[in-house]
Amino acid sequence: DAKTTQPNSMESNEEEPVHLPCNHSTISGTDYIHWYRQLPSQGPEYVIHGLTSNVNNRMASLAIAEDRKSSTLILHRATLRDAAVYYCIQPLLTGNQFYFGTGTSLTVIP
Amino acid sequence: DGGITQSPKYLFRKEGQNVTLSCEQNLNHDAMYWYRQDPGQGLRLIYYSQIVNDFQKGDIAEGYSVSREKKESFPLTVTSAQKNPTAFYLCASQGQGPRGYTFGSGTRLTVV
């Protein structure tokens, strides 16, 4: 089963770092971990992806555990615009499809 | 700019009518997907297509139909057989490489 496990919701104060965890214990050695986020009434947007080593881009950082069974999306300074549902995804075995669960709903407190 | 366009953004349908949602991409992606999202829920896969003239059912295909006559286009028809069609519909495409999906902005369908 290629479903990941994330907390349903998290809160963060504005301008503080946020660490969003994800468990993906069934991931294969060649599957990338992807993170997307969805703002209200919009389609999900790409945030970051990685395979083994930690990754950084202008939006976030991705820390991947050494055994690859978990990862953490890091928003270095949360803003109100970061309030969204964050999805952690690994591809399904067939057709390279992505399974989107309910994700983590992030609330940013001013 | 390359991207994926869904239209219309809002759509109202009377019970018993078929309605078609448009999805167009200019990213030269081979694979395209349709998802349905209900309030507070994740995305559920309706149909997907990995190549022109070929498509497969997803988890909730009943009451929906698709076609893939062109690489750029993957329209979704919500038929009268779909008993609860009111939802937010999302189209996505995927190219080669590990980056993943590009999503459209969605179509909100309401049955009146």
Side-chain angles (χ1 to χ4, degrees):
Chain A
D1 190 347
K3 297 178 183 178
T4 59
T5 304
Q6 300 176 254
N8 287 333
S9 62
M10 292 184 64
E11 287 186 352
S12 173
N13 293 321
E14 194 176 9
E15 298 189 3
E16 290 189 356
V18 183
H19 290 232
L20 299 166
C22 178
N23 288 322
H24 32 81
S25 57
T26 61
I27 194 169
S28 75
T30 57
D31 284 342
Y32 282 76
I33 286 295
H34 301 255
W35 283 82
Y36 286 77
R37 72 178 187 182
Q38 186 177 22
L39 301 172
S41 297
Q42 295 187 26
E45 64 173 342
Y46 167 85
V47 177
I48 201 166
H49 74 281
L51 184 61
T52 55
S53 56
N54 296 344
V55 185
N56 301 291
N57 67 21
R58 64 174 181 81
M59 291 180 71
S61 295
L62 177 60
I64 301 173
E66 195 170 334
D67 64 6
R68 295 199 352 108
K69 294 185 177 182
S70 65
S71 61
T72 302
L73 181 70
I74 302 166
L75 308 180
H76 295 286
R77 288 180 70 242
T79 70
L80 297 178
R81 289 175 295 179
D82 291 323
V85 177
Y86 287 79
Y87 298 97
C88 165
I89 298 161
Q90 62 177 92
L92 296 178
L93 293 177
T94 57
N96 205 31
Q97 303 160 44
F98 286 1
Y99 173 80
F100 286 79
T102 53
T104 296
S105 179
L106 175 65
T107 299
V108 179
I109 302 168
Chain B
D1 282 342
I4 184 164
T5 302
Q6 290 188 243
S7 62
K9 190 170 179 64
Y10 298 96
L11 188 58
F12 295 89
R13 189 194 92 174
K14 292 182 179 180
E15 284 192 22
Q17 286 182 338
N18 293 353
V19 64
T20 298
L21 282 59
S22 170
C23 178
E24 303 277 336
Q25 55 101 356
N26 61 1
L27 299 164
N28 200 33
H29 285 173
D30 287 315
M32 297 187 72
Y33 304 82
W34 273 106
Y35 288 90
R36 168 183 172 139
Q37 187 174 35
D38 294 287
Q41 303 297 313
L43 281 65
R44 291 186 291 168
L45 183 64
I46 305 173
Y47 268 98
Y48 65 100
S49 168
Q50 295 186 304
I51 196 169
V52 174
N53 293 322
D54 187 50
F55 48 82
Q56 286 78 40
K57 293 181 179 180
D59 299 323
I60 56 165
E62 185 174 353
Y64 300 97
S65 66
V66 294
S67 62
R68 187 85 187 277
E69 298 177 0
K70 300 186 300 182
K71 188 175 186 178
E72 301 79 16
S73 179
F74 191 40
L76 173 73
T77 297
V78 184
T79 74
S80 57
Q82 170 50 239
K83 297 307 178 187
N84 185 22
T86 295
F88 188 49
Y89 291 88
L90 287 159
C91 180
S93 69
Q94 183 183 31
Q96 299 298 321
R99 175 151 174 146
Y101 286 18
T102 300
F103 278 88
S105 57
T107 292
R108 189 168 298 281
L109 173 64
T110 302
V111 173
V112 297

